[in-house]
Amino acid sequence: MTSHITQKYDLDTPALLIDLNKLRSNIQAMADYYKTVKPRLRPHMKTHKMPIISHLQVEAGAIGVTCQKLEEAEIFVQAGLPNILVSNQIANPQKIRRFISLSKWAQVTVGVDDLDVAHQISEAAHSAGVVARLAVEISMVRCGLKAGKPALEFVQHLDKLQNIHFMGIWEHEAGGSPNFDLGTTVSWEKRKQAHLAGLEEVLDTKHLIEKCGIPVEIFSAGHTVTYDITPHFPEVTDVQAGSYVFMDWPYKQLEHFDQFQEALTVLTTIISIPRHQGNMAYTDCGIKSISSEHTANYTNIVYPKIKGELGKEIEVVNLSEEHSHLRGTVERLKVGGKLEFIPPHCCTTTARYDKAYVLDGEDVVAIWPVLARGAHT
Ligand SMILES: Cc1ncc(COP(=O)(O)O)c(C=O)c1O
């Protein structure tokens, strides 16, 4: 009997591919590590935007999910995921209304760093008869409140508002600065020193708040490049690592990532090898289909890598909207042939697709919708 299972190379391109075994192995490797430390994992869903992957992470031991957008939280709540922290600020009446209705039936915590907004949330929660869960970001690289007295005073104010439950604090990229990028620092020791030092003022702020009699249930911190550093800092409750599930190739160059594998690729077809250009070839995957930056610094151009041995001989040297430009031993390629690209940044690649083909070896064993694609509000 002939097999009806679709094979990877039968797919039309560009196509987003997930290697199921590598994905499972990454989830397990991280879960195994978190069995050895006290803080728990609250993986960020921004990397995959697929509830099914968050379910796999929770089954492996994660306490819940971190989202970046309220709309992502709405989708993930509907998909049955528990204990969601939106590591971002909400600020307009539309979102306040949606957050209050979500709070009627789900445990969702959102960030706020403005007192007017906090008052509006409190009033809306009071009229709806619900308790709104709020957290405060201690400012490192973007929004949030300055550590120490400014954060303390803000939290004291929050604590007096009706129908508000202050859940705690979070930070992102403690120890990083314009001169020191955690995401590209190969040395684990250097990342460790910077990150642990950066967390000190966050812990001091936690203590200031607690000294005033306000409990801090959540001290959420860290991300993929500090996954085995953040949990060793005192009193951290959970770590927000996201990218480890798929593993951006630049992260894989850093120390302590040997056990994680690049699980996400984009299948692409070679559409032209213009002989008069010598060593150039072109495929059907441009920046509309794959990222060309890395989270560490969005203004640097970082190209995808070609998976496998060919990647040693041929490199991506440019991406236009619908084309990738390859340079190298292109005589080894054939027009109509297919290649796999490993994205430099999986979060911004996944977000370009409606679905991912899930592979067991060469077999397509599932198609997973990227359910939170376009959930930007
Ligand atoms: C607030 C916050 N937490 C966690 C993460 C996850 O980072 P990573 O994917 O590097 O683990 C991000 C990523 O941008 C973030 O913005």
Side-chain angles (χ1 to χ4, degrees):
M1 211 172 89
T2 47
S3 160
H4 293 291
I5 296 177
T6 304
Q7 301 283 297
K8 172 169 81 176
Y9 291 111
D10 293 338
L11 294 170
D12 205 349
T13 61
L16 188 69
L17 309 179
I18 295 174
D19 184 313
L20 185 58
N21 296 320
K22 289 183 179 167
L23 171 77
R24 282 190 183 282
S25 153
N26 290 346
I27 291 174
Q28 199 53 52
M30 191 60 95
D32 286 346
Y33 180 77
Y34 274 80
K35 284 181 195 142
T36 68
V37 293
K38 197 161 165 240
R40 307 285 298 278
L41 202 57
R42 192 197 294 268
H44 213 303
M45 53 62 72
K46 76 206 302 282
T47 308
H48 50 77
K49 289 176 171 273
M50 297 177 217
I52 191 165
I53 296 185
S54 289
H55 277 295
L56 293 174
Q57 291 171 309
V58 169
E59 268 168 36
I63 48 160
V65 183
T66 312
C67 293
Q68 201 74 341
K69 292 290 184 151
L70 187 63
E71 192 175 353
E72 293 170 342
E74 288 166 337
I75 293 167
F76 275 56
V77 161
Q78 285 188 51
L81 284 149
N83 197 358
I84 293 177
L85 169 67
V86 179
S87 57
N88 208 344
Q89 287 71 17
I90 64 165
N92 62 27
Q94 295 78 7
K95 284 200 182 56
I96 294 173
R97 268 200 302 279
R98 284 165 49 204
F99 170 50
I100 296 302
S101 23
L102 197 58
S103 300
K104 286 181 191 156
W105 52 290
Q107 277 188 19
V108 175
T109 301
V110 304
V112 62
D113 67 6
D114 180 273
L115 277 182
D116 283 346
V117 174
H119 277 275
Q120 290 168 41
I121 294 174
S122 161
E123 276 161 31
H126 183 64
S127 349
V130 298
V131 171
R133 295 160 180 255
L134 297 183
V136 167
E137 177 172 13
I138 304 301
S139 174
M140 296 287 157
V141 286
R142 290 184 295 229
C143 314
L145 287 144
K146 195 166 158 28
K149 215 165 152 233
L152 170 67
E153 285 172 0
F154 185 83
V155 172
Q156 283 178 309
H157 204 107
L158 275 192
D159 192 49
K160 292 196 189 92
L161 295 179
Q162 58 188 354
N163 296 66
I164 295 293
H165 183 93
F166 168 69
M167 295 295 292
I169 54 178
W170 89 88
E171 71 75 36
H172 183 55
E173 294 190 351
S177 71
N179 304 323
F180 185 82
D181 181 3
L182 289 165
T184 51
T185 300
V186 174
S187 158
W188 180 80
E189 200 51 50
K190 285 190 181 148
R191 267 181 278 139
K192 180 178 157 199
Q193 279 169 18
H195 183 57
L196 295 182
L199 284 172
E200 286 296 342
E201 60 176 3
V202 188
L203 182 62
D204 291 346
T205 308
K206 178 175 185 279
H207 289 162
L208 282 178
I209 299 169
E210 287 168 337
K211 266 196 203 125
C212 293
I214 304 172
V216 181
E217 293 164 48
I218 295 176
F219 175 6
S220 187
H223 64 309
T224 294
V225 297
T226 64
Y227 81 90
D228 57 351
I229 300 169
T230 320
H232 298 285
F233 191 78
E235 302 181 35
V236 166
T237 55
D238 57 82
V239 176
Q240 302 178 1
S243 297
Y244 76 94
V245 267
F246 291 150
M247 216 50 218
D248 300 347
W249 74 253
Y251 276 171
K252 181 128 178 75
Q253 316 304 306
L254 311 184
E255 287 177 3
H256 286 205
F257 284 103
D258 287 347
Q259 73 277 41
F260 294 99
Q261 303 176 61
E262 292 149 341
L264 189 85
T265 55
V266 174
L267 189 69
T268 179
T269 300
I270 298 139
I271 55 168
S272 175
I273 311 175
R275 301 293 167 198
H276 62 281
Q277 290 188 18
N279 58 356
M280 297 296 293
Y282 298 85
T283 86
D284 62 357
C285 174
I287 51 169
K288 285 178 178 163
S289 315
I290 198 160
S291 53
S292 60
E293 38 66 42
H294 188 244
T295 174
N297 181 343
Y298 293 92
T299 54
N300 281 353
I301 291 188
V302 184
Y303 290 122
K305 276 195 318 184
I306 297 173
K307 185 176 165 184
E309 287 301 303
L310 268 181
K312 294 184 185 146
E313 297 178 26
I314 302 174
E315 57 174 341
V316 179
V317 291
N318 195 8
L319 291 178
S320 40
E321 285 185 42
E322 289 89 5
H323 297 80
S324 69
H325 305 218
L326 310 187
R327 187 165 57 211
T329 55
V330 296
E331 59 279 7
R332 297 199 47 200
L333 306 178
K334 191 165 129 286
V335 171
K338 287 173 182 156
L339 295 170
E340 272 174 84
F341 284 163
I342 305 171
H345 191 182
C346 294
C347 308
T348 49
T349 298
T350 317
R352 287 161 160 89
Y353 288 85
D354 291 327
K355 58 183 177 295
Y357 295 93
V358 182
L359 303 176
D360 182 359
E362 306 280 291
D363 294 345
V364 178
V365 291
I367 301 175
W368 288 348
V370 184
L371 272 187
R373 186 189 185 198
H376 300 307
T377 66

